Amino acid sequence: MAALTVERRDSVVYLTFDRPEAQNALDPEMIVLLGRAFREYAEDVELRCAVLTGRGDTAFSAGADLRRTIPLLTGAREPEDEWDRALLGEPVLMQYALLRGVDVFKPVVAAVNGYCIAGGMELLQATDVRIAVNTATFALQEAKWGLFPGAGSTVRLPQQIPYCKAMEMLLTGERITAQEALQWGLVNHVVPRSQLGAKVEWIVRTIAENGPLAVRKIKESVIRCMGRPIEEALAREPEFAMTVFASEDAREGPRAFAENRLPDFRGR
């Protein structure tokens, strides 16, 4: 069995960490497959939304595999198979897998089915909408093992939740509950396990029915303008808006509204 399951349903792709026996830890195979899957998602004009989740009822992901991945990256373990060699030979796959430093402006929805730790938590921060089961827990435990959360957490987390809460997570490595994650704004919704699939499905289908060009440019504008001085950000926003307003979709949407029908968006 592959370490990552990729399932395409119409315009949505479902990416499932598939190592439940290892708490869905990110081994080299999973990272390579995830990087390839996100790169394909970014390039495929037919795909409008991605869902990221984990197999089983225990873990979304426990983060990077401390026995396989971290020793390989630190040089403590020599490459042993095709996955090790691909990970070391194509660094861009790691960037795509972690959604760090690459342009993926389509939405990614996280379905957090269990605990979300270390690299799993870092990847969560790169997603756009997050739904968690009420038994999920969250932590960045790198400091406990003398490591650094280098997949973006020292940059992203203080932007996404209050500074003092971010620093508590980063410096102590202690876990927080799903309810705390909801209160802090780290996740959008917390639901019973039995309702996770239905909630995720409603969100992704709603996104997929919207104008795909508008969705992409909205996300790109948010990412490109975040953290910039407000005058600079407001000056840049129109370049994304004008791309949308000049599109066929921008004409189709109001026309469909006037004709009382669903729009037929083409993403251009």
Side-chain angles (χ1 to χ4, degrees), residues 34-74:
L34 184 60
R36 290 173 179 170
F38 273 136
R39 182 166 60 185
E40 181 178 343
Y41 171 56
E43 296 171 353
D44 191 328
V45 296
E46 300 299 323
L47 290 173
R48 299 188 179 185
C49 193
V51 176
L52 188 63
T53 192
R55 183 78 64 201
D57 296 333
T58 303
F60 174 75
S61 175
D65 192 315
L66 294 178
R67 294 181 176 85
R68 299 287 301 167
T69 303
I70 297 301
L72 179 68
L73 297 178
T74 62

Side-chain angles (χ1 to χ4, degrees), residues 5-234:
T5 299
V6 180
E7 181 185 1
R8 183 169 177 159
R9 304 180 203 165
D10 299 322
S11 60
V12 180
V13 63
Y14 295 77
L15 309 176
T16 305
F17 302 132
D18 209 342
R19 299 183 69 216
E21 75 286 353
Q23 290 76 51
N24 292 323
L26 304 171
D27 69 349
E29 178 185 357
M30 187 186 291
I31 294 170
V32 169
L33 292 176
L34 184 60
R36 290 173 179 170
F38 273 136
R39 182 166 60 185
E40 181 178 343
Y41 171 56
E43 296 171 353
D44 191 328
V45 296
E46 300 299 323
L47 290 173
R48 299 188 179 185
C49 193
V51 176
L52 188 63
T53 192
R55 183 78 64 201
D57 296 333
T58 303
F60 174 75
S61 175
D65 192 315
L66 294 178
R67 294 181 176 85
R68 299 287 301 167
T69 303
I70 297 301
L72 179 68
L73 297 178
T74 62
R77 181 175 73 81
E78 293 295 320
E80 300 169 7
D81 57 26
E82 62 175 302
W83 305 112
D84 290 353
R85 289 186 286 273
L87 183 58
L88 295 179
E90 297 182 71
V92 70
L93 291 177
M94 175 72 86
Q95 298 295 87
Y96 268 103
L98 298 173
L99 296 174
R100 185 183 190 279
V102 292
D103 293 340
V104 180
F105 296 127
K106 296 179 185 180
V108 180
V109 174
V112 184
N113 58 299
Y115 59 77
C116 181
I117 307 296
M121 168 73 176
E122 295 212 88
L123 186 51
L124 180 78
Q125 296 166 61
T127 65
D128 304 298
V129 181
R130 306 156 193 173
I131 304 94
V133 296
N134 51 15
T135 56
T137 56
F138 303 80
L140 288 162
Q141 296 185 325
E142 282 81 355
K144 285 183 175 292
W145 309 111
L147 301 172
F148 186 96
S153 289
T154 62
V155 176
R156 286 171 169 155
L157 194 61
Q159 293 180 341
Q160 296 182 11
I161 66 175
Y163 173 84
C164 59
K165 296 298 188 182
M167 294 305 291
E168 181 178 341
M169 292 194 74
L170 288 163
L171 300 179
T172 69
E174 293 299 307
R175 298 190 189 194
I176 66 170
T177 66
Q179 286 300 326
E180 287 174 312
L182 181 64
Q183 292 167 5
W184 297 0
L186 182 62
V187 300
N188 298 77
H189 306 279
V190 171
V191 298
R193 186 172 302 278
S194 61
Q195 297 177 18
L196 179 63
K199 187 69 172 181
V200 170
E201 198 68 14
W202 180 84
I203 287 174
V204 300
R205 294 300 167 185
T206 301
I207 292 172
E209 289 172 0
N210 290 340
L213 179 61
V215 168
R216 292 198 306 271
K217 287 301 177 181
I218 287 169
K219 178 174 177 178
E220 183 177 358
S221 180
V222 169
I223 291 174
R224 298 292 195 203
C225 297
M226 187 180 298
R228 296 178 181 273
I230 189 166
E231 294 84 359
E232 180 183 341
L234 289 174

